[in-house]
């Protein structure tokens, strides 16, 4: 007589994490290099509603993973120098994130920014809202994406990763 008993498997209900890091300080390429960005506090208070990244396709896939409910977002900062210090988790998002394609345009002739979000044109005045919701002033936002004193027109293409229900 064969006594067969099924193996007992533990089914993991744990969600997998998707990691995104926010800068704790302004990067070395920024005129405010080394100064605190305040992103952790702005995220906690709801002032930082999104972040903008160059890898739209990756974040679109990550948003789909979160939509299916098996993943959550771990928002982190480096404890010290980026890539040379441990990361510290500052928040988690278990609700799905939103991702929208964005193109930012710097116009050297009049020192302005325009944007195209989901194919819709935004003027420089609208970019104030975009910068504010990213946790930056317009000047810091401009420099973050286009460098100090750009002398020519530039384009940045990426995605807006929304931490809230806000969509443009």
């Amino acid at each position: 007589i064969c006594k067969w008993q099924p193996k007992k498997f533990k089914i993991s209900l744990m969600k997998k994490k998707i990691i995104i890091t926010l800068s704790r300080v302004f990067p070395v390429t920024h005129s405010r290099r080394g100064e605190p960005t305040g992103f952790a506090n702005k995220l906690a208070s709801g002032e930082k509603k999104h972040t903008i990244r160059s890898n739209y396709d990756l974040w679109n896939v990550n948003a789909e993973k979160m939509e299916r409910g098996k993943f959550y977002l771990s928002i982190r900062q480096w404890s010290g120098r980026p890539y040379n210090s441990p990361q510290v988790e500052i928040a988690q998002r278990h609700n799905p994130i939103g991702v929208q394609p964005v193109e930012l345009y710097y116009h050297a002739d009049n020192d302005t920014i325009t944007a195209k979000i989901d194919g819709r044109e935004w003027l420089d005045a609208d970019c104030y809202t975009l910068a504010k919701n990213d946790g930056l002033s317009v000047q810091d936002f401009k420099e973050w994406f286009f460098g100090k004193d750009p002398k020519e027109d530039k384009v940045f293409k990426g995605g807006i990763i929304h931490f809230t229900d806000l969509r443009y």
Side-chain angles (χ1 to χ4, degrees):
I1 298 177
C2 180
K3 290 190 173 186
W4 178 82
Q5 291 187 348
K7 289 184 177 179
K8 293 182 180 177
F9 292 100
K10 267 190 162 179
I11 298 174
S12 176
L13 299 176
M14 299 280 297
K15 290 183 176 183
K16 295 179 183 177
K17 67 181 137 198
I18 296 169
I19 297 171
I20 191 167
T21 54
L22 300 179
S23 297
R24 187 176 53 80
V25 296
F26 283 89
V28 295
T29 56
H30 198 282
S31 61
R32 294 181 59 193
R33 65 188 257 185
E35 289 182 37
T37 59
F39 286 163
N41 290 337
K42 291 173 184 177
L43 183 68
S45 68
E47 290 176 70
K48 184 162 179 66
K49 297 176 184 348
H50 56 63
T51 189
I52 299 175
R53 301 300 164 99
S54 61
N55 44 3
Y56 168 79
D57 291 333
L58 169 69
W59 284 101
N60 202 35
V61 168
N62 286 339
E64 289 171 7
K65 288 178 181 178
M66 289 184 69
E67 187 72 37
R68 290 193 293 269
K70 303 218 181 211
F71 289 81
Y72 73 94
L73 188 65
S74 173
I75 305 169
R76 300 174 174 203
Q77 288 185 333
W78 297 101
S79 59
R81 206 169 103 202
Y83 305 100
N84 289 294
S85 62
Q87 294 177 356
V88 177
E89 186 173 81
I90 57 173
Q92 291 183 0
R93 293 291 185 266
H94 291 270
N95 294 333
I97 57 173
V99 180
Q100 290 182 286
V102 64
E103 294 177 17
L104 302 173
Y105 301 91
Y106 175 74
H107 307 281
D109 59 337
N110 58 5
D111 191 37
T112 60
I113 299 174
T114 56
K116 192 182 284 186
I117 302 170
D118 267 338
R120 202 174 96 232
E121 297 279 344
W122 278 54
L123 303 174
D124 187 55
D126 298 321
C127 289
Y128 166 81
T129 301
L130 190 62
K132 181 180 176 209
N133 289 338
D134 205 52
L136 295 166
S137 70
V138 172
Q139 185 58 41
D140 287 336
F141 184 81
K142 192 182 304 179
E143 193 173 326
W144 193 284
F145 289 98
F146 301 110
K148 294 184 222 174
D149 303 318
K151 304 292 184 218
E152 59 191 34
D153 291 355
K154 293 186 176 188
V155 178
F156 171 89
K157 293 183 181 186
I160 303 171
I161 295 100
H162 292 278
F163 301 130
T164 68
D165 292 337
L166 172 73
R167 301 295 180 271
Y168 296 107

